[in-house]
Amino acid sequence: MKIRIHNSTYIFILLAFLAGYFEYIFLLLLIIIIHEGGHYIFGLIEGIKASKIEVYPFGGCTIFDSELNISIKKEFFCLIGGLVFQLIFFYLVYKLYLNGHVKSNTYFIFKKINILLLSFNFMPILPLDGGKLLNLILDLFFSYKLSNILSIIISLIFIVIFALYNKTFFAIVLSIFLIKNIVLEYMNIKIKYNKFLLERYLYNYNFKKIKIVNNINLLYRDYTHIINNSFESKILRNIFDRTS
């Protein structure tokens, strides 16, 4: 596993240093690394390894080497790891502050950054943690393909709300970045679903819940499906049609 610092982060650090906000950027990046470390550790507990952690000026991303058919429970556990680590870190700094080991100004900057990051990161927008949590909740009620489409639609709605409510240059830059990721998510939705189907075909999953469906596009996560026609032939036909 490797940690990759995005090029924009170096520019952001330089600008923050020149503007006299070095303490802000240092605390921000420290919290981001701690948060992503939580995802990484919780992933290891579930036996899921991360290939890399990417650090951006406004957040991070832990990329796991996991199958799309991983259980909702396991993915949720990995997801909350970042929040748990961030809150534990905040509590430790808070205790140090109470004991006089952290200056008041530093603590209040640290507290403000934590609140801003948590508020931003848990908005229901992909690829933020809030967007991933939304996707997991939708997976409980809708088919895998439909839940991904709904997640994209809801993400776009909240990006517009975020941009209109925060009419600042930084908010506009964040909105553009998020829209870029949503567009990529939409463009790859067919490929992603084909991978989801291919995993079902190649690996012997033993899901306890069973659901009867008439259409191969209606498969759910965490379910074994009974399909009227041949399961294997429909999967192969679907993959061929989508990729040809």
Side-chain angles (χ1 to χ4, degrees):
M1 195 276 295
K2 60 181 179 180
I3 299 178
R4 177 178 176 271
I5 309 296
H6 194 266
N7 292 334
S8 61
T9 305
Y10 291 111
I11 299 173
F12 192 69
I13 292 173
L14 177 61
L15 293 175
F17 181 78
L18 294 175
Y21 289 98
F22 183 76
E23 187 174 17
Y24 280 86
I25 190 64
F26 173 78
L27 292 173
L28 173 64
L29 293 178
L30 180 60
I31 294 170
I32 290 172
I33 292 172
I34 293 292
H35 180 99
E36 297 306 320
H39 291 309
Y40 174 73
I41 296 298
F42 273 51
L44 287 181
I45 293 173
E46 286 290 352
I48 306 170
K49 294 183 179 180
S51 58
K52 63 178 177 179
I53 293 176
E54 295 191 29
V55 179
Y56 297 94
F58 43 81
C61 180
T62 302
I63 301 174
F64 289 100
D65 293 324
S66 62
E67 298 163 7
L68 296 178
N69 283 278
I70 181 177
S71 71
I72 294 175
K73 182 179 178 181
K74 282 188 175 183
E75 187 170 342
F76 175 75
F77 187 75
C78 296
L79 182 63
I80 64 170
L83 174 64
V84 172
F85 264 51
Q86 187 173 339
L87 292 178
I88 290 175
F89 184 50
F90 177 79
Y91 178 74
L92 291 175
V93 173
Y94 173 67
K95 294 297 288 184
L96 290 173
Y97 163 70
L98 291 180
N99 290 303
H101 299 299
V102 175
K103 296 179 181 179
S104 297
N105 185 56
T106 300
Y107 171 71
F108 287 115
I109 292 174
F110 178 77
K111 180 180 178 181
K112 182 178 180 180
I113 292 173
N114 265 282
I115 293 172
L116 288 174
L117 278 179
L118 288 174
S119 301
F120 173 70
N121 193 38
F122 277 91
M123 289 192 298
I125 301 173
L126 293 171
L128 305 177
D129 284 353
K132 294 176 182 177
L133 178 60
L134 167 69
N135 191 233
L136 289 177
I137 294 173
L138 292 173
D139 280 336
L140 294 172
F141 302 100
F142 302 100
S143 65
Y144 181 78
K145 192 170 189 178
L146 180 57
S147 70
N148 278 284
I149 294 172
L150 291 175
S151 295
I152 290 173
I153 294 172
I154 295 172
S155 294
L156 286 173
I157 292 172
F158 275 88
I159 288 174
V160 173
I161 294 173
F162 173 75
L164 292 177
Y165 184 77
N166 300 279
K167 297 178 181 179
T168 63
F169 174 76
F170 191 57
I172 293 173
V173 172
L174 283 177
S175 298
I176 293 173
F177 171 80
L178 292 172
I179 289 173
K180 175 188 174 183
N181 279 274
I182 292 298
V183 171
L184 289 175
E185 193 77 25
Y186 175 75
M187 292 174 64
N188 292 325
I189 196 167
K190 292 181 180 179
I191 297 174
K192 187 176 179 181
Y193 191 65
N194 287 339
K195 184 175 184 294
F196 175 79
L197 292 175
L198 188 59
E199 287 178 1
R200 291 292 183 103
Y201 178 71
L202 294 175
Y203 306 121
N204 185 27
Y205 295 107
N206 187 26
F207 301 118
K208 295 180 179 179
K209 296 179 288 186
I210 299 175
K211 185 180 290 289
I212 300 174
V213 296
N214 297 317
N215 190 320
I216 200 149
N217 290 312
L218 299 178
L219 270 61
Y220 285 66
R221 287 184 66 172
D222 290 355
Y223 276 90
T224 295
H225 297 86
I226 298 176
I227 303 176
N228 292 333
N229 296 327
S230 171
F231 185 44
E232 291 85 358
S233 63
K234 293 207 74 175
I235 287 180
L236 292 176
R237 192 183 309 124
N238 184 77
I239 292 174
F240 178 77
D241 291 340
R242 298 295 186 182
T243 56
S244 61

